[in-house]
Amino acid sequence: MIILKIINGENEVTNEKHFVTFKKTVYFDKLKEYYSNLNTEILFKSFIHGQGHIERVMLFAMMLSEHYNLNKKDSDILMNASSYHDIGRVNDRYDLSHGKRASEKIAIYTKLSGEDLEILKATVTAHSLEDSSMEKVIESYNIENKKRAIYLAKMFKDCDGLDRVRISDLDENFLRNDYSKELVDFSKILYKEYNSVKE
């Protein structure tokens, strides 16, 4: 796994100020645990939406979890979304429905249940749609705490969005959280480093 070579090594990524802070926290150990449990067999096979993308999005998700001090339940939702949000893909093209297809498969690959699972499904469904559809998507799931669901769905869209650097389409004006905007330069450093490391 390329990402483990990077985060455990000495390089531009691990010397970047946001990562240095993050690595000192318990969230860093949790991230490595998630990497060790990632089911790579079910990931979409692609340079654009495949394992490399997933590994980087997972890192962004845990860094945002740490910065915003998410509890374990919320962090688990974000990390499960990061891991499996593209398993509904059938190609790399613009596809508004791949989030919904992924949400229909995701339950068997996670230990989440109840409202946490419903929020995960809604988050994954919403990630491939415009923000204007988010409330309607969340209404379609059995979720009582809609404010929590919207918060996590927006945060996940930033995690996914930060890796748009890989298609030269990262615009910080579309990021929703202040800390996400602070990570724009880090995302560029990470992508550059990722592509310089051999498996």
Side-chain angles (χ1 to χ4, degrees):
M1 192 175 276
I2 290 175
I3 196 71
L4 291 175
K5 291 182 179 181
I6 294 172
I7 65 174
N8 290 318
E10 181 67 27
N11 50 65
E12 198 173 350
V13 170
T14 54
N15 287 317
E16 195 274 342
K17 63 181 181 179
H18 294 99
F19 187 85
V20 169
T21 300
F22 168 70
K23 192 169 183 177
K24 295 174 182 174
T25 71
V26 296
Y27 290 84
F28 179 69
D29 293 327
K30 290 179 185 176
L31 173 66
K32 290 197 288 186
E33 186 177 328
Y34 264 100
Y35 283 138
S36 68
N37 291 322
L38 179 66
N39 185 344
T40 58
E41 295 300 313
I42 65 166
L43 301 181
F44 184 60
K45 306 300 186 252
S46 158
F47 176 76
I48 298 175
H49 295 102
Q51 185 172 332
H53 168 61
I54 298 303
E55 290 176 10
R56 293 186 298 271
V57 173
M58 289 172 73
L59 174 54
F60 298 135
M62 198 55 93
M63 289 178 77
L64 264 70
S65 292
E66 185 276 324
H67 183 81
Y68 289 107
N69 197 29
L70 296 192
N71 61 33
K72 185 180 186 307
K73 284 191 168 191
D74 287 352
S75 180
D76 281 345
I77 290 170
L78 211 57
M79 292 305 294
N80 275 276
S82 298
S83 300
Y84 304 120
H85 65 281
D86 280 338
I87 60 173
R89 278 201 166 274
V90 294
N91 56 54
D92 280 318
R93 293 193 295 273
Y94 184 69
D95 178 3
L96 295 174
S97 300
H98 79 270
K100 178 64 174 171
R101 289 195 300 271
S103 74
E104 291 167 353
K105 297 178 176 184
I106 203 166
I108 62 174
Y109 301 116
T110 177
K111 295 178 181 176
L112 300 185
S113 60
E115 179 147 314
D116 291 348
L117 178 58
E118 292 295 296
I119 292 175
L120 171 62
K121 289 179 179 179
T123 296
V124 171
T125 298
H127 97 272
S128 61
L129 302 171
E130 297 294 330
D131 281 14
S132 57
S133 303
M134 190 175 291
E135 288 190 30
K136 186 177 180 182
V137 167
I138 289 167
E139 287 285 346
S140 72
Y141 286 88
N142 186 21
I143 297 170
E144 286 189 24
N145 191 341
K146 293 176 175 53
K147 184 176 179 182
R148 176 188 178 216
I150 290 170
Y151 177 72
L152 291 172
K154 286 183 176 180
M155 189 170 292
F156 176 66
K157 287 193 84 165
D158 277 6
C159 300
D160 194 30
L162 280 164
D163 199 46
R164 291 186 72 83
V165 65
R166 76 196 186 285
I167 54 172
S168 303
D169 190 33
L170 174 53
D171 183 345
E172 68 178 77
N173 294 312
F174 288 97
L175 297 173
R176 299 146 194 86
N177 298 280
D178 290 341
Y179 189 62
S180 303
K181 295 175 183 179
E182 289 184 34
L183 292 178
V184 167
D185 287 340
F186 174 74
S187 71
K188 295 173 183 175
I189 293 168
L190 176 62
Y191 185 68
K192 179 183 173 187
E193 185 68 32
Y194 196 94
N195 287 305
S196 72
V197 176
K198 302 298 180 190
E199 191 69 80

